[in-house]
């Protein structure tokens, strides 16, 4: 059965993403506690270490989960509004952790008299965080404030989706630059180029971050794994006597995608000249 | 008029991509000739410099253009086969330049007794190049060899598109890591953290590379800018008396996207359970 096949494939990929995501978090903790100075808030290297830890947990893992949270078939029994709050809430949490992560690194730099904002890592990273905050404010303003016109929501959706994915990808690139910097500056006894165990270990963390990103981006860009519109779910529940069992596989994994919810942009197919820029699937 | 609006928007973005792409190439040449040792094939730093130059020209600029070449409305008067050869040809050229770029850096490392393949930059970079070669071989095998079944072409298309975009994004991330490494190792008199002019200049190159990538990925993921199927173009030419003027705006920018060419996957909309994994837009 196609439906079950699609569902099995989805479960496999989401499990892989969760597994690799948790592996990233585990690796960054092992890096900090086993190879580095641990965690503290003392203006020293142990304070700096909050930077990679909070970025991996917040801006990488939580942001990744926030991006694909609508796709989880188990959540389709909840209303769209509940899921929007979940989506915005996860992104907000990621943003808060990121702010603390930035404070940690500025604090450390200032105490150690290292200049701030000189590296490409810092330029791209700060740009990504500024764009992330803008995305958050615009996202809440457009999709959570009830008075925003539906037409604006629909028009802005392709940009919202694209910016979200591009910011996420930029964060991954920034993390890889950060790892590169830290391994060059941080390895004193045996330098990076002589591949001490820490270098190999943290290179693997970099690869895991990239694999996590690849899985999130794949899941986020499969049109057939989209959350169906609320009406569609309601109809489906009715047809099945209102049971919850049906939502476990869920309609969007298998059924006709001709939906009309402007916020699941891409499911509305272009039929005429009128909606020219509106059928963007991610 | 929506059609002209969409076309104007496309022309603006493609011009921006071309402009930023050429700026990247200009910047890398200025870096190498104005700040560095120029270009030579002598096992020294001037040989290393071929590495960033050829990567920016080949793996970044040419790969980016190859990705969006089907989207250029000016090319829609040519057959799909001609465009496939153009797409594959540009990618092949990018790949050849990349191989030379890799030889340059291995040569330099060996002459200077610097270990190879120790950095995250080298790990991600080599992985991306291996995946790129695989993508090239599979792409030619599946889409240019006439005997490959249509069903296979269609099934493989979402993966071909996703891999292409993901490899491109990974290349951009690798370039940013490479810039980071080179600015840390290469700036001797005034170190990176004290922001000498070269550091600022090359940071800007990094930002330009990212902007070029953002434009290419935006253009590549707009469903409404897809090349229409050959049949569609033919019909359109007939309806317009076969003139070429029509192809300047082109049908896919404005008209009904219900097409049947399996290789423009994503334009075939899912109607039933049968083609579950087949309606992926990039």
């Amino acid at each position: 059965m196609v439906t079950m096949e699609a569902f099995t494939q989805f479960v496999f990929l989401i499990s892989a993403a969760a597994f690799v995501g948790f592996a990233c978090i585990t690796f960054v903790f092992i890096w900090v506690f086993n190879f580095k100075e641990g965690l503290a808030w003392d203006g020293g290297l142990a304070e700096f270490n909050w930077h990679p830890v909070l970025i991996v947990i917040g801006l990488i893992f939580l942001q990744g989960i926030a991006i694909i949270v609508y796709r989880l078939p188990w959540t389709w029994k909840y209303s769209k509004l509940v899921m929007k709050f979940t989506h915005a809430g996860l992104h907000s949490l990621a943003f808060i952790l990121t702010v603390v992560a930035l404070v940690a690194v500025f604090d450390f730099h200032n105490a150690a008299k290292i200049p701030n904002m000189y590296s490409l890592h810092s330029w791209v990273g700060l740009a990504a965080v500024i764009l992330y905050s803008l995305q958050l404010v615009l996202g809440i303003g457009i999709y959570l404030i009830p008075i925003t016109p539906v037409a604006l929501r629909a028009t802005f959706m392709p940009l919202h989706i694209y910016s979200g994915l591009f910011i996420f990808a930029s964060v991954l690139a920034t993390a890889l630059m950060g790892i590169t910097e830290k391994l060059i500056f941080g390895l004193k006894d045996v330098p990076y180029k002589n591949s001490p165990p820490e270098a190999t270990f943290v290179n693997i963390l970099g690869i895991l971050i990239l694999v996590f990103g690849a899985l999130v981006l794949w899941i986020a860009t499969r049109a057939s794994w989209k959350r169906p519109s609320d009406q569609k779910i309601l109809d489906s529940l009715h047809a099945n006597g209102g049971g919850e069992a049906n939502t476990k596989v869920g309609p969007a994994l298998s059924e006709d995608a001709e939906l009309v919810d402007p916020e699941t942009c891409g499911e509305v197919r272009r039929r005429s000249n009128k909606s020219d820029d509106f059928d963007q699937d991610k």
Side-chain angles (χ1 to χ4, degrees), chain A:
Chain A
M1 260 178 70
V2 174
T3 305
M4 273 316 290
E5 241 177 59
F7 182 67
T8 308
Q9 203 190 29
F10 179 82
V11 170
F12 174 76
L13 281 165
I14 194 79
S15 307
F19 178 79
V20 178
F22 282 121
C24 290
I25 295 175
T26 310
F27 265 62
V28 77
F29 273 113
I30 293 176
W31 183 20
V32 160
F33 282 106
N34 204 33
F35 293 104
K36 292 278 154 206
E37 307 78 12
L39 294 172
W41 201 267
D42 58 359
L45 284 161
E47 183 170 333
F48 171 87
N49 292 343
W50 280 109
H51 183 70
V53 164
L54 293 176
I55 292 294
V56 168
I57 296 174
L59 212 46
I60 295 174
F61 184 74
L62 286 180
Q63 188 185 179
I65 300 302
I67 286 172
I68 55 174
V69 78
Y70 292 113
R71 307 252 151 172
L72 303 173
W74 309 277
T75 69
W76 293 347
K77 62 187 163 198
Y78 303 112
S79 76
K80 185 71 181 277
L81 192 66
V82 168
M83 292 317 295
K84 282 187 193 182
F85 274 108
T86 309
H87 179 73
L90 285 167
H91 277 306
S92 303
L93 188 58
F95 181 73
I96 292 166
L97 296 184
T98 303
V99 171
V100 181
L102 292 192
V103 172
V105 76
F106 277 93
D107 246 25
F108 164 73
H109 277 179
N110 294 341
K113 305 228 183 309
I114 300 169
N116 290 303
M117 299 302 306
Y118 69 86
S119 68
L120 184 57
H121 166 79
S122 65
W123 288 24
V124 178
L126 193 66
V129 172
I130 291 170
L131 289 174
Y132 194 50
S133 66
L134 200 70
Q135 172 89 339
L136 207 56
V137 170
L138 284 176
I140 291 170
I142 295 175
Y143 299 109
L144 275 178
I145 294 179
I147 55 161
T148 313
V150 171
L152 179 65
R153 295 182 175 205
T155 308
F156 186 65
M157 186 47 86
L159 201 63
H160 181 72
I161 290 168
Y162 178 80
S163 307
L165 299 184
F166 189 76
I167 290 168
F168 179 65
S170 301
V171 163
L172 303 183
T174 309
L176 302 191
M177 280 191 277
I179 285 174
T180 300
E181 279 192 13
K182 187 63 186 171
L183 288 176
I184 295 174
F185 292 135
L187 290 164
K188 297 294 180 193
D189 303 334
V190 185
Y192 194 14
K193 67 177 174 139
N194 292 335
S195 296
E198 182 181 339
T200 309
F201 185 83
V202 183
N203 279 354
I204 294 171
L205 168 59
I207 299 292
L208 288 172
I209 287 173
L210 212 57
V211 172
F212 176 71
L215 289 166
V216 166
L217 291 171
W218 173 263
I219 293 168
T221 51
R222 294 314 90 194
S224 55
W225 289 347
K226 274 201 181 117
R227 178 190 162 93
S229 76
D230 282 357
Q231 189 51 51
K232 197 85 188 175
I233 296 174
L234 217 63
D235 292 350
S236 171
L237 286 172
H238 270 290
N240 289 274
E244 282 187 10
N246 175 67
T247 62
K248 284 189 182 155
V249 172
L253 281 173
S254 59
E255 286 174 22
D256 183 358
E258 304 289 329
L259 308 172
V260 286
D261 178 356
E263 294 180 12
T264 56
C265 186
E267 296 184 316
V268 181
R269 305 308 184 194
R270 191 156 32 103
R271 295 264 173 246
S272 71
N273 290 355
K274 270 175 265 170
S275 56
D276 185 74
D277 221 354
F278 183 51
D279 71 330
Q280 330 281 5
D281 274 345
K282 290 171 295 178

